[in-house]
Amino acid sequence: MKTLYKKNFLLLFLPILFVLIGISYAKPAKAPLPKSIVLGANPVGTLFYAMGVGFSKVISSHTPMKVDIFPQGATVWWPMFETNEVHFGINVPDDAIAAYLGTEIYKDPTKGKGYKIRTIMLGTPIQVVFFVPGDSDIKRIPEVKGKRVPVEYGAFFTSTLSCRALLANAGLTPADVKGLSVPSVEAGIKAIIEGRADCALMAVGGAVVEELKAAKGARGITIDPSPDAVRRMQKVFAGYYPIKIAPGPAGITEEIWGLGKDITLWAYEKLGEDVVYEITKAIWENYKELGPIHPRLKLWTPDRFASTRAIIPYHSGAIKLYKEKGVWTNELEEHQTKLLTIKR
C-alpha cells in the first residue's frame, strides 16, 4: 500500500517539478546593476556640466550605481556609446537628431547610419541668446552684422546650429558677420572677455556668463518672436521655439525672448533596461533634490519627462517606469510607434 502511495505521489509531483525546472530555465536571474556608469556632459563651466553634477549626485545617492561625468561635447561621446565608455548623456534635440539619423557632421563618421540613441526623459527647456558686454552698442541681433561672432563651435555642433538659427531669426547668415571658430561654447564667451569677439551665444544660466559679467558686464540680446522671424529660425531646426526669459540670471536684467529647445537625457540603445529603469526611477522620485544643486534644474520635473515632443524613440527601461507611474498614454504609445518607423 505504501509503495502504491509513493508511486502515485511521484506521478503527481514529477510533472509539477518539471514545470518548475522549466520556469527556472525560462527566466534567468537578472544581471546585477553595474557599479559605475558614465554620463556625457559638456565641459566645466557650462550649464550641461552643472546639470550633470546634479544627476550624478541624485542617481549615485539613490541607486547602487556611481555616476562619473565625462566633460566633453556630444560629438565626442556619441561614438563612445558604442565602445561602452559612456552610457548616457545630456544634450539637446537639434544635435541628437543629426547624430541619430547620421546627417550633417555625423554623416561621414557613421557612414550615414547614425548612432544608436534612445530618449530617457525630456527636462528643462534651454534658453539660448547672444550675449554682449554690458557697455556694447549692440541692442538687437541685426546689429551684429559685420561684428566678430563665433559661428563654428568644433565638437559642439548644437552651438553651431543655434548660432545659425539666432542669425537666421534676424535674416542673417554666418557670412554676414566676421565669423570666428572656437573649440567650445564657453570659449565663445571667453573670446568676448579676451577682446577677440563682440558677441557670442550661451545658454542662460551658464557659469561662464558670470565671468563675463564680472569682467565687462553682460547683457543678453532678445530674439524677434514674430511668426516670420520664428519660421526663419525653424528652417535651421524645426524643434526650435521662442521662449520668454525672466530677469534674474546673469546678463538678463529685463524680460527678453530667447531660442528654446528641450534639454534631454539620452541613453545608448543597448544600455540595459534595468539600468535605464533605475536611472529614470531615481530622478522621478527624487527630482526635488535637483533644484538646490542648480537653479535651472528646478524645472526638471516629472510632468516633462514623457512627452510627444520627443524626437527619438524612448528607451524601454524608461517606458517601463512611465507605465508604472501611469503616465505612458495611448498618445505616447502611438508617438513611440511613429518614431520607430522613421527611416534611417
Side-chain angles (χ1 to χ4, degrees), residues 4-19:
L4 181 60
Y5 175 82
K6 288 179 180 179
K7 285 182 178 180
N8 289 337
F9 177 81
L10 288 173
L11 288 172
L12 288 170
F13 180 75
L14 283 175
I16 297 172
L17 180 62
F18 290 142
V19 169

Side-chain angles (χ1 to χ4, degrees), residues 113-142:
K113 295 181 180 179
Y115 296 114
K116 295 179 175 64
I117 302 168
R118 286 290 183 266
T119 303
I120 298 179
M121 61 180 64
L122 275 60
T124 305
I126 193 171
Q127 305 159 323
V128 180
V129 298
F130 278 136
F131 283 95
V132 296
D135 62 355
S136 173
D137 59 357
I138 299 172
K139 309 295 183 184
R140 298 167 54 248
I141 295 179

Side-chain angles (χ1 to χ4, degrees), residues 232-250:
R232 289 194 298 267
M233 191 170 71
Q234 290 176 336
K235 285 184 179 179
V236 177
F237 174 64
Y240 294 147
Y241 53 89
I243 186 169
K244 278 185 180 180
I245 306 170

Side-chain angles (χ1 to χ4, degrees), residues 42-115:
N42 284 352
V44 176
T46 64
L47 175 61
F48 287 3
Y49 183 84
M51 288 184 158
V53 171
F55 293 128
S56 174
K57 184 175 180 180
V58 168
I59 297 167
S60 297
S61 297
H62 297 283
T63 77
M65 302 177 291
K66 178 180 180 293
V67 178
D68 296 314
I69 300 175
F70 182 72
Q72 292 294 331
T75 49
V76 178
W77 52 258
W78 287 133
M80 295 173 74
F81 275 4
E82 303 283 347
T83 58
N84 201 38
E85 294 172 278
V86 174
H87 306 97
F88 67 129
I90 308 168
N91 202 2
V92 279
D94 45 356
D95 181 85
I97 193 65
Y100 177 67
L101 296 176
T103 60
E104 299 280 356
I105 63 170
Y106 300 107
K107 184 175 182 179
D108 289 341
T110 68
K111 298 180 180 179
K113 295 181 180 179
Y115 296 114

Side-chain angles (χ1 to χ4, degrees), residues 292-336:
I293 298 170
H294 193 280
R296 297 294 295 162
L297 283 171
K298 290 180 180 178
L299 298 177
W300 202 282
T301 52
D303 58 300
R304 301 175 183 272
F305 294 176
S307 170
T308 54
R309 290 171 75 108
I311 59 168
I312 292 174
Y314 277 90
H315 194 286
S316 61
I319 293 173
K320 180 180 177 181
L321 188 280
Y322 298 141
K323 286 182 176 179
E324 285 185 7
K325 298 298 182 180
V327 299
W328 190 258
T329 63
N330 290 335
E331 185 182 16
L332 276 165
E333 186 64 34
E334 290 173 4
H335 185 66
Q336 174 79 355

Side-chain angles (χ1 to χ4, degrees), residues 174-297:
D176 293 314
V177 300
K178 294 178 181 177
L180 305 174
S181 294
V182 291
S184 66
V185 63
E186 74 276 7
I189 298 296
K190 289 184 177 180
I192 301 177
I193 297 172
E194 295 163 2
R196 297 185 292 108
D198 302 303
C199 170
L201 66 81
M202 187 65 192
V204 173
V208 72
V209 181
E210 293 283 1
E211 295 181 34
L212 173 61
K213 181 180 177 181
K216 295 188 172 185
R219 179 162 43 82
I221 305 299
T222 190
I223 68 164
D224 180 352
S226 68
D228 286 344
V230 171
R231 276 193 289 270
R232 289 194 298 267
M233 191 170 71
Q234 290 176 336
K235 285 184 179 179
V236 177
F237 174 64
Y240 294 147
Y241 53 89
I243 186 169
K244 278 185 180 180
I245 306 170
I252 310 298
T253 58
E254 61 182 8
E255 184 177 271
I256 63 174
W257 288 88
L259 179 155
K261 47 186 170 179
D262 300 311
I263 304 174
T264 303
L265 203 58
W266 314 94
Y268 180 41
E269 179 185 330
K270 295 183 180 179
L271 186 60
E273 183 176 284
D274 292 338
V275 175
V276 177
Y277 172 84
E278 292 295 336
I279 290 170
T280 312
K281 182 180 180 182
I283 298 173
W284 179 289
E285 296 182 349
N286 304 282
Y287 72 93
K288 290 182 180 179
E289 296 179 16
L290 294 171
I293 298 170
H294 193 280
R296 297 294 295 162
L297 283 171

